[in-house]
Amino acid sequence: MSETFDGATVVQARGLVKHYGEIHAVDDVDLTVPAGDVYGLLGPNGAGKTTFMRMLFGLIRPDAGTIELFGRREVAGPVDALRDVAGFVETPRFYPYLSGRANLEILATLDRRDSAKRIDEVLEQVDLTERGGSKVREYSYGMVQRLGVAAALMRSPRLLILDEPTNGLDPAGIRDMRALIRRLAGTGITILLSSHNMLEVESTCRHVAIMRRGKVAFEGSMEDLRARADAVEYRLFTTDVVRAAGVSEAADGVANVRAASDGIRFDSTPEAVERLTARLGGMGIGIRQLELPRTALETLFFRLTESDGSEPVEAAS
Amino acid sequence: MREFAAVYRVECRKLLAQSRVRWMLLFLLVVPWIYIGLILHQDRLPLETLYGRYLKDTGYATPLAILVYASQWVLPLIAALIAGDVFSSEDQQGTLKTILTRSVGRSAVFWGKFGAAFSFTALAVATVAVSATLAGIVAVGNDPLVDVGGTLRQPGAAAGLVAASWATVLLPTLAFAAIAMMVSILTRSSVLGVIVPIVLGLCMQLYTFLNAWDTVRHVLLGYSMSAWRGLLDSPSYVAPLARALPVAAVYLLIATAIGFVAFRRRDVAGG
């Protein structure tokens, strides 16, 4: 086992490869998760996120490459490597014929530490205190999801790996889960979060990696990402569509203007949009509404994941 | 060792929480009493069954007659029902990833599950053996037993023979449990984990009924299951047991080794 933890890097994956026959589920992935960060892992279905997370947990053996968690390399089985790690991959699963509390007791036994003392506390954290005695088969999908978070928190991890944690939650559950993630992040825990929801990643993560077809298409901070996704699509509704479209086409920093019956669409930056709206106002064209249908992250996400694969991998320095 | 103990405790708790296992243990506890109760309330005796003719003469005939049935198909069934889905149920419920991401390694999970399945299989065998002996003694009486050679065995000696006979079927029953777990790991199917050992046991039993090659018959678990009969002859002989128990041990070791290697190497990509 290598012990090279420098205190700054929690997850370090280098040259990770996993093939299933002809399918390259994970293809030469390098990824670094800084300590204390909330790190978002994005990608469409089949991008390799879940395979990567399963490799982190030692559930899948990589065909090539190395993973270090807190500087400990997974060479002799994951038990020691996972000492400070908890979380779940895909939907958390429990024994349906046991209660939520009994499931946590079983997991505490397997943890071989004083996790059991925290059962009440973690059930309260995920708002399952009242239903802790019910059998898991009677739980809703969202309750199972919350029990999964409770099972992870019971280990008092320094790295929390969450795969689509808001899946199946109702709007209030999503709000509470995001608040919980932010609260945990505030305690110094490093969180690796996989999600399809770009708004969620954008609002909670400081670093992000976007995977496509088993490869990392982008890795860097949210600021780097926003800087790269400078031209974002805007939708503008005005009192005079024809004149507004003409002014937009002539404006600096505005491109790809498309006029429709109710408004115009164009790609631009926040600064250029400020100048454009001021100019439209000055010309007596009323602005009814300005929309940003896609965030910076969404724009880059679709650009990276829907391209034909010829686009080079981007990595922030 | 602490990892093994943790998994073993968890697996025992899970097995006890399963209604199938609880009902099976209850069934094994009750059935001998029903069996001897029905025998005592009818005129005819199961004469074709070893010790069937003595069922109304001594209580020690009850566990031996039941052992005849049990060794043919009940014990493989018990082993398969307990052990056949110990691994595959984790696949079906998707819980293998849940336990493998805690503080126990795969080897500990494997041995803990094997240990718990073996313990419950042994508990089931002991339950039916003890229940059958008590049912016989209570319902018929603590009388001497006439062995296969015609010698009268006093109650104390008869009890010893009954215990020894049941003890000899434990190892082949555990071998069936190991086969069930191996199938469960390889196929990830609870249905196959339960059915394959039962079908295998029946096929082996059928072969032992044939006048076919003895060499083959002696390396089948069906032969190991019936090797106890030599203990009840006079003079008693242990040559069949000396052949049968190592055979059962080999089945157990090979099935365990294949299961261990497969479990250690597999990717947990589902669930």
Side-chain angles (χ1 to χ4, degrees):
Chain A
M1 180 189 305
S2 83
E3 288 284 357
T4 57
F5 184 48
D6 55 8
T9 304
V10 170
V11 179
Q12 184 163 293
R14 291 291 174 266
L16 272 191
V17 174
K18 184 67 185 180
H19 293 171
Y20 293 106
E22 296 295 309
I23 298 168
H24 294 200
V26 170
D27 194 6
D28 196 22
V29 163
D30 292 344
L31 213 134
T32 305
V33 179
D37 200 2
V38 183
Y39 192 102
L41 193 57
L42 275 168
N45 288 335
K49 307 186 300 291
T50 298
T51 304
F52 172 75
M53 286 183 147
R54 283 183 184 271
M55 285 196 280
L56 285 186
F57 276 120
L59 296 171
I60 291 178
R61 285 166 200 272
D63 294 329
T66 59
I67 298 172
E68 286 185 9
L69 301 172
F70 297 99
R72 296 187 292 268
R73 188 173 292 188
E74 284 190 33
V75 286
V79 175
D80 197 48
L82 295 181
R83 197 190 306 153
D84 301 304
V85 184
F88 53 80
V89 184
E90 293 183 279
T91 309
R93 297 296 183 95
F94 297 95
Y95 300 105
Y97 51 85
L98 295 175
S99 69
R101 178 177 289 277
N103 269 282
L104 294 185
E105 286 168 1
I106 273 181
L107 297 179
T109 305
L110 295 177
D111 283 340
R112 297 180 295 123
R113 45 177 117 161
D114 59 354
S115 309
K117 292 178 187 166
R118 300 201 59 213
I119 289 177
D120 287 330
E121 178 191 336
V122 296
L123 281 175
E124 192 179 339
Q125 269 185 295
V126 299
D127 200 21
L128 279 177
T129 302
E130 287 180 13
R131 295 298 303 277
S134 303
K135 291 211 164 46
V136 167
R137 72 162 68 98
E138 297 161 8
Y139 279 21
S140 68
Y141 191 87
M143 289 165 74
V144 172
Q145 200 81 354
R146 282 187 277 150
L147 188 63
V149 175
L153 294 180
M154 208 168 60
R155 284 168 66 81
S156 305
R158 289 198 288 153
L159 169 63
L160 186 60
I161 299 174
L162 299 174
D163 193 5
E164 306 279 356
T166 54
N167 248 6
L169 298 183
D170 58 23
I174 291 172
R175 180 199 60 205
D176 294 345
M177 181 66 77
R178 287 178 185 163
L180 177 64
I181 290 169
R182 276 194 285 270
R183 199 164 66 239
L184 291 170
T187 65
I189 294 179
T190 306
I191 299 174
L192 176 58
L193 175 78
S194 149
S195 180
H196 285 109
N197 188 324
M198 283 164 278
L199 190 65
E200 180 172 282
V201 170
E202 203 160 16
S203 64
T204 52
C205 299
R206 286 195 287 271
H207 281 82
V208 66
I210 297 176
M211 290 189 74
R212 178 191 60 188
R213 296 175 199 164
K215 290 180 178 292
V216 175
F218 172 87
E219 186 188 14
S221 69
M222 289 301 300
E223 288 73 28
D224 291 326
L225 184 67
R226 289 191 187 100
R228 280 159 200 266
D230 50 356
V232 178
E233 186 187 76
Y234 287 84
R235 199 180 296 167
L236 182 64
F237 302 92
T238 63
T239 52
D240 189 336
V241 175
V242 177
R243 282 181 66 208
V247 173
S248 300
E249 278 173 358
D252 284 342
V254 177
N256 200 17
V257 179
R258 288 94 70 197
S261 58
D262 58 341
I264 57 171
R265 295 179 182 206
F266 54 84
D267 297 340
S268 188
T269 62
E271 297 76 20
V273 169
E274 282 171 19
R275 289 195 299 273
L276 174 64
T277 50
R279 190 168 171 208
L280 289 171
M283 294 173 70
I285 301 173
I287 294 174
R288 290 180 173 147
Q289 196 174 332
L290 178 65
E291 281 182 3
L292 191 64
R294 285 180 177 178
T295 64
L297 182 57
E298 284 173 317
T299 302
L300 189 64
F301 177 84
F302 289 118
R303 200 182 292 163
L304 288 169
T305 58
E306 291 181 350
S307 64
D308 61 4
S310 57
E311 192 162 339
V313 170
E314 296 184 34
S317 55
Chain B
M1 196 60 196
R2 286 181 59 215
E3 282 184 55
F4 165 79
V7 178
Y8 180 80
R9 282 208 309 276
V10 163
E11 291 302 319
C12 287
R13 181 174 177 177
K14 280 160 52 186
L15 281 168
L16 266 181
Q18 289 173 32
S19 50
R20 185 191 70 222
V21 173
R22 291 205 302 263
W23 279 110
M24 189 181 69
L25 288 174
L26 183 67
F27 177 81
L28 295 174
L29 197 66
V30 170
V31 153
W33 297 80
I34 296 171
Y35 174 76
I36 193 62
L38 291 173
I39 292 289
L40 292 176
H41 284 87
Q42 66 182 29
D43 296 332
R44 293 180 62 196
L45 288 167
L47 299 178
E48 71 286 358
T49 304
L50 190 64
Y51 280 97
R53 69 178 63 244
Y54 301 119
L55 280 170
K56 290 185 178 179
D57 298 332
T58 170
Y60 295 105
T62 305
L64 293 172
I66 287 178
L67 181 56
V68 173
Y69 301 124
S71 60
Q72 284 171 5
W73 59 272
V74 175
L75 294 179
L77 177 67
I78 289 172
L81 283 175
I82 291 174
D85 75 343
V86 162
F87 286 89
S88 51
S89 65
E90 304 277 8
D91 283 306
Q92 279 157 16
Q93 291 162 359
T95 43
L96 199 50
K97 67 181 182 188
T98 308
I99 54 175
L100 287 178
T101 50
R102 311 307 287 197
S103 299
V104 286
R106 287 195 186 206
S107 297
V109 169
F110 178 86
W111 293 117
K113 281 180 172 290
F114 255 69
F118 280 175
S119 298
F120 271 73
T121 304
L123 175 67
V125 173
T127 299
V128 67
V130 171
S131 177
T133 307
L134 288 176
I137 291 171
V138 170
V140 183
N142 187 24
D143 303 300
L145 173 79
V146 178
D147 70 16
V148 178
T151 303
L152 195 68
R153 308 283 190 134
Q154 291 306 309
L161 282 173
V162 167
S165 300
W166 275 92
T168 64
V169 297
L170 188 57
L171 190 61
T173 306
L174 294 181
F176 275 112
I179 290 169
M181 283 187 274
M182 177 193 73
V183 173
S184 165
I185 291 169
L186 293 177
T187 65
R188 305 183 190 191
S189 160
S190 298
V191 174
L192 290 176
V194 172
I195 286 179
V196 168
I198 295 170
V199 171
L200 195 66
L202 285 173
C203 291
M204 288 179 175
Q205 278 295 336
L206 285 175
Y207 190 89
T208 58
F209 294 147
L210 300 174
N211 281 326
W213 292 333
D214 270 357
T215 312
V216 174
R217 196 162 56 89
H218 290 166
V219 296
L220 298 179
L221 282 174
Y223 179 75
S224 303
M225 282 288 194
S226 56
W228 55 274
R229 296 177 188 208
L231 296 176
L232 294 160
D233 212 339
S234 49
S236 60
Y237 54 93
V238 294
L241 271 178
R243 274 196 299 266
L245 292 182
V247 165
V250 168
Y251 274 96
L252 191 152
L253 289 174
I254 290 175
T256 305
I258 292 172
F260 180 72
V261 171
F263 186 70
R264 285 273 302 170
R265 293 175 61 87
R266 62 181 285 190
D267 280 341
V268 183

